[in-house]
Structure formats: C-alpha cells, structure tokens
Amino acid sequence: MTGKEAGHLDHESGTTAPHAGAVNPVNPENLEVAPGTAHEQLEGWIPALAGEEELRLALEKAFDYRGDVTITRKDGSKIEGYLFDRRSAATLKDSVVRLYPRNSNDKVAISYADIAALAFTGRDTAAGKSWEAWMKKYAEKRAAGEKDLSLHPEPLE
C-alpha cells in the first residue's frame, strides 16, 4: 500500500489516514514485550528435604543453578560440584543426578535415594548478569561521561 492507505500524511489537507495512529509493528517501541524470567536467589540455600516431592523439586532447582552444590549422601560422605544432568524416574532409586566434582574431571552419578541433604554452596555465576543489569551499568557509565563504551561482556572472573 502507498499513500493514505498506508497512513502517510495528506500534505494538502494535513490529515492522515484513519488507521495511521494504529500500532506500527515495525517500531520496536510498540512491540509487545514478554516479561523476563524471575530467578530465585538460591546461593546459600539449604532446602529441607522432608519428602520425595521436596527432594525432586530441590534437585530441579539445583539443575538450573549456575554454581556448585554440595550433596550429602546417606552414608555421611559429601561431594561438591556442578550438577549438569538429572534423570527423573518413577522411583527415587531409579532417579539419578550427575555432577562434575569440584576437584576432578570425572562425572559422578548419585541416586536420588542416596541423597540425605543438598546445599547450594557455590557462587551463582549468573547472578546479576541479566541484560537489564548490563544495560543499567552501561547507562550509568554513559551518564558519567565514560568514553569508549563497547558492547563486550565483562569477564566472569
């Protein structure tokens, strides 16, 4: 479409087409924006594993966590590492989590049935690393008059 049908100004009359005020889908300011995901602050959390459902829920959260967790087995031994996989089955005995121990390159599998306690002991490397947090820091630096601002990420440490 062109002219008035497309919402262009009628230069002679100074009016616009009837739908000219409609939302322009090309303008990003008018696009619908879905809300971001709310992330829980899990660092330092020690969930109460009173029952099967609490254990399964805590292990799902541990799988999504970007830091190390410490698992205490029912025999009293502890293992700290990054939980990278979980396989949930009908029973706790058949369900398994896998993690990379903190001090090893091995992969360790632990049955849900062998877990007595879970703690989110490692630093959450993704905390505060959202796009919104980055943009806020960028805007603050720009407002402070910093020069040579770039779109490169900060180091993870």
Side-chain angles (χ1 to χ4, degrees), residues 25 28 50 52 56 80 99 117 129 138 141-142 150:
E52 180 176 334
R56 289 181 184 274
E80 182 178 10
L99 63 121
K129 302 291 184 187
Y138 180 84
K141 289 178 181 180
R142 187 172 181 181
S150 65

Side-chain angles (χ1 to χ4, degrees), residues 115-126:
I115 298 174
L118 174 69
F120 293 76
T121 51
R123 185 179 68 84
D124 183 354
T125 59

Side-chain angles (χ1 to χ4, degrees), residues 2 11 47 78 82 104 142 155:
T2 60
H11 294 288
K78 293 184 179 189
Y82 182 76
S104 171
R142 187 172 181 181

Side-chain angles (χ1 to χ4, degrees), residues 86-125:
R86 85 280 191 229
R87 296 182 184 155
S88 185
T91 66
L92 292 179
K93 185 178 179 182
D94 294 330
S95 301
V96 175
V97 293
R98 296 191 313 156
L99 63 121
Y100 291 109
R102 184 178 184 133
N103 302 323
S104 171
N105 291 329
D106 297 335
K107 296 175 188 173
V108 176
I110 301 171
S111 169
Y112 284 25
D114 293 336
I115 298 174
L118 174 69
F120 293 76
T121 51
R123 185 179 68 84
D124 183 354
T125 59

Side-chain angles (χ1 to χ4, degrees), residues 2 4 6-7 37-38 59 69-70 73-74 95 102 104-105 109 112 116 120 133 135 138 154 156:
T2 60
K4 291 180 186 175
T37 304
L59 290 171
V69 296
T70 299
R73 293 182 179 129
K74 290 185 176 174
S95 301
R102 184 178 184 133
S104 171
N105 291 329
Y112 284 25
F120 293 76
M135 286 301 294
Y138 180 84
E154 295 176 7
L156 290 176

